[in-house]
Amino acid sequence: MKIHLLLAGLAIGASALYEDQVGKFDWRQQYVGCPTQVQIDRRGKLDRYIVSTAENVVASLSMNTGDIVWRKVQEDVGNKELKHPLVFSGQKNVICSLSESGKMVRLWAKRDGGFVGQQLLGTVESSHAPFVTTTADTCLVLSHNRAIALSLKDASKLWEVELRKSDWVAARAFDGGFAIVGGLKENNEVHVKWVDTKGMQTLNKILDVNSFNPQKVAFTGSHLVGFWDSTVYALNILSDGPDIKIEAKGVEETVFETFALTSENFVAIRTKSRVHILDVIKGFSKVFSLPSEAEAVSEYVNKEGKRFLASVHGNRLSLYHVDGDKELLKDVVFDSELKRAPAKQLIIGGGDKEWEFLVIGADCRTDHVVADITVKKAALEWTREEGLTRIGSVELLDLPLSESQAAIETEFAVDEKNILASFAHRIFSQLDQFKKLIARSADMALELALNMKQMKSGSFSDLLNSVRQSARKSHSGGQPLERDVFNLRKLIVATSLGGSIYALDNQDGAVVWRRYIGADIQGFETIEGKTKIPILVQRTTAFYNFDAQIVVAYKRNGIGHLLFLNPVNGKEVDHQTVDNARRIDLLPFVDGDHLHHVITVDRTNQVSIYPKLSADAIEKAPPVHLFDVNGVNGKVTGYKLDLTTNRLTETWAHQLPHWEDSTVVAIAGKPASERTHSQGRVLADRSVLYKYVNPNLIAVGLLAKSAPQLNIHLFDSVTGQIVHSARLPKVTAPVYMVHCENWVAYAYWTEKGRRTEIGILELFEGDEQQHVETFDSEEPLKRPLHVEQASFIFSQGISSMAVTETEQGASNRAILVSLPFGNIFEVNRRILDPLRPMELTPEMREEGGFIPYMPEIPIATEEMLNYNQTVHHVNGIKTAPSGLESTSLVFVYGLDLFYTRATPSGNFDVLKDDFDHILICIVLAALFIGSYVCRKLARNKALQQQWA
């Protein structure tokens, strides 16, 4: 019996791909994250960059193409940055990486990224930034105020030494062992310790400094270099014991920044007017100076010992020969984009006539530049948009109407009273469309003629292939940014926590436009603890005579900003600043220009509206209600907006139960664009349960701290009525929740079963429908709600959750969950059905379509949307409807990006993608011609018989 039930469950919504469909409707883009440390590896045939990133990744990138050679994704850091980024050090064959803020050491093979070994150093983050350095056979790790030596063969521990409490540490290897230096801001002290190769301490010295700040020091060669005000100091940690001392020297201007260079004992300092290169050994003497506009500076020493210095400012690059005091490149433009993010790091790859540079921007964009010093030109060879690994919010927007679609709309835009003008307008419009059809047909015929000319033989199969090829070329490549017939092509607009806004084409993931708004921006923190830079869609492209418009909300220095953009081209429409904004939202109605106005609510409940509403719009506006959950005191409040005074009036308030011992882990509302196709649910006895479809329903999930327990409350945001409450004991985080139509699905970890479970609540009005046409929250319920609830065992962990969305809501819904090992699993809504019977009755068998209850949700590989296209560290899943009712568009974002289509009910409204249109057209044409010829022959035969 169980086998039959399992097979029935697997048969629901199976949507496996054929081999030739792989990559046809989906794509994946792999990233490494925002680079924090870069080394160049030129050993072997392929030149590569070894990088570590803020997303806890160490990887190898090809210098020629920018492609990932190998990538090692370590523990998921979620939506927040680690306290200390991953650091690494490498020697000839092995890389030693220190991740999780100093918790874990791992060894990797340098050429192929093979795992060598690992060592756990602690269970908490290090109080100071960790440091790692390597020798031929040893990896020295400084973490948790300890120095730990590990073998590069298998990561086994060789020895360990305790260090003094520090805020900053570094080390340098020498013939006799390691010299370790650290500093403590609290006591303004610097300590130096020498340890031999067996872990025996040979020197321990503590020095006082006038002012020590971990943010104002650099480590170059064997020197610790720091500054305060207009004074620079240095300490050579390899000096003999009695000679170890701090040397300080004043400079002409206040120092703002110091950073180490490639060659030992040289350091760069930034002042208001210049960037100076100082020789630490020669008493901080100035070796070279650069303009203060230089955003990033780097040094390169070739095999002959010659030193070169490069700087980047905006889209301009400069290169100098330091020893010869010669200018090789001066402000050479390498990118046509003017409004670039400032460079935060520059790496020189070296060269003879052609030099290679890696420019890392504040928005995590990574550019590889090749410059020719003979012709004084530079070119951008490849770019990696690593800022897309930190997406804060995303929206899938419709593209504008095509020229032909807009022409159809304008056919009916004339005055209907003037019949002659309307008729003439339609005739000219039809003639214009016919002319374009002829032009497209001529292009296809020309392409067919060229293909036939190149045919090797005159066989029918070659002719058929040439026709297919010409048809395929006419529908691909060089397409304008316009809506297709089935509205499957969308624009993916995403904001990055790195300070950029991106627009991607969902056909291939190509960047349509990008806009940098600043690396110093901050997002808005949700009550669940996530950081968002929200995107609000004010006007879509549905109105062809108006431009689409979105607004991006962010903060800079505590002040809110509203950036109004055209999402199709990225051009700025308006910009507003708002003070003390605690909430930003859209009004639920549109004005005469089909525009949703933006409202901001400050801490005094004063409302500002952008742009301002007209008196006519205020008069016609429906009532506007707001729902607010205070994460500090646990108060849930409902407000009504007075558009004449721009004030909020409190209409109801509730205190969340047991708030002192609870925290809000999830809030789920319904999308404003959601549609419910069927208002009822037909049961086995042919009776109907009518759905409780309340558009104002909000689900709030509370997790108790002391006694593990999940409480779910469903609020009507207009009246404040608690429609339903549910309690799940022995439940802990993580908790995920989605809300759709009349049901709420939620995933949680149960301590009792020590597993992940997915629960579902479904609300019904009963066998009589109270709200037939429109729903009114203020109309009291005539009878208590009929609530169905069930839980199912899910054998995998969950990192994100979403629900599919279609244009009319007629297709089956599917819950999409991201799994820890990188797959996106589709759970059909029929599986998550609280009305699944324990046993099938004869009536149910006769009716068909009923699935008996089974506690486990079967995980079939056919239900993996991304098959073998692994997506790491998923932060969210965004779905959107298409023009096909069967198809929902799915965009998954995290460390990687993945886009595909989901069809929970199958492709019932479209032909199969392998349907041969060309062949069927040829067959129909042959049948038509054959029938005509046969008719002619039959007439001739009948005529001859009559004359015979």
Side-chain angles (χ1 to χ4, degrees), residues 261-272:
L261 300 176
T262 304
S263 56
E264 293 192 1
N265 308 321
F266 288 87
V267 70
I269 61 171
R270 185 187 298 276
T271 64
K272 186 177 181 179

Side-chain angles (χ1 to χ4, degrees), residues 295 313-316 333 335-342 365 516:
E295 297 165 353
H313 170 59
N315 63 341
R316 298 178 181 272
V333 177
D335 186 14
S336 59
E337 186 176 348
L338 298 177
K339 296 181 179 180
R340 290 174 52 91
R365 177 179 172 180
Y516 178 69

Side-chain angles (χ1 to χ4, degrees), residues 173-248:
F174 63 97
D175 293 338
F178 298 93
I180 304 169
V181 60
L184 184 62
K185 182 178 181 180
E186 181 182 355
N187 299 334
N188 288 326
E189 68 176 27
V190 176
H191 56 84
V192 180
K193 180 174 290 190
W194 287 4
V195 182
D196 63 17
T197 56
K198 296 183 179 180
M200 301 300 294
Q201 178 179 306
T202 59
L203 177 69
N204 187 13
K205 194 163 186 177
I206 301 175
L207 304 170
D208 294 327
V209 65
N210 188 29
S211 176
F212 180 84
N213 189 336
Q215 307 299 324
K216 297 181 179 181
V217 295
F219 191 64
T220 170
S222 60
H223 285 81
L224 163 67
V225 181
F227 68 92
W228 71 83
D229 298 334
S230 59
T231 301
V232 183
Y233 66 90
L235 169 66
N236 186 356
I237 64 173
L238 292 183
S239 299
D240 292 335
D243 297 331
I244 291 183
K245 59 181 179 179
I246 296 177
E247 298 180 357

Side-chain angles (χ1 to χ4, degrees), residues 60-75:
S60 175
L61 305 177
S62 169
M63 292 182 66
N64 296 328
T65 62
D67 295 335
I68 298 175
V69 179
W70 56 261
R71 178 182 69 164
K72 298 302 171 183
V73 181
Q74 302 183 58
E75 288 74 15

Side-chain angles (χ1 to χ4, degrees), residues 764-838:
F764 297 95
E765 292 184 1
D767 54 3
E768 293 184 7
Q769 189 175 14
Q770 181 175 343
H771 305 90
V772 180
E773 295 183 358
T774 58
F775 189 91
D776 187 3
S777 290
E778 295 181 352
E779 181 183 348
L781 293 170
K782 296 180 180 178
R783 61 179 67 184
L785 290 178
H786 179 83
V787 181
E788 294 287 345
Q789 183 175 356
S791 294
F792 300 86
I793 300 171
F794 195 69
S795 60
Q796 299 293 332
I798 294 177
S799 59
S800 189
M801 199 171 179
V803 62
T804 57
E805 185 179 355
T806 56
E807 194 168 45
Q808 300 298 329
S811 295
N812 288 333
R813 303 280 184 174
I815 290 88
L816 307 178
V817 296
S818 59
L819 307 181
F821 49 84
N823 278 99
I824 310 301
F825 184 65
E826 179 182 356
V827 184
N828 197 287
R829 172 70 175 83
R830 294 180 63 193
I831 296 292
L832 286 177
D833 186 0
L835 292 175
R836 285 174 61 180
M838 297 299 294

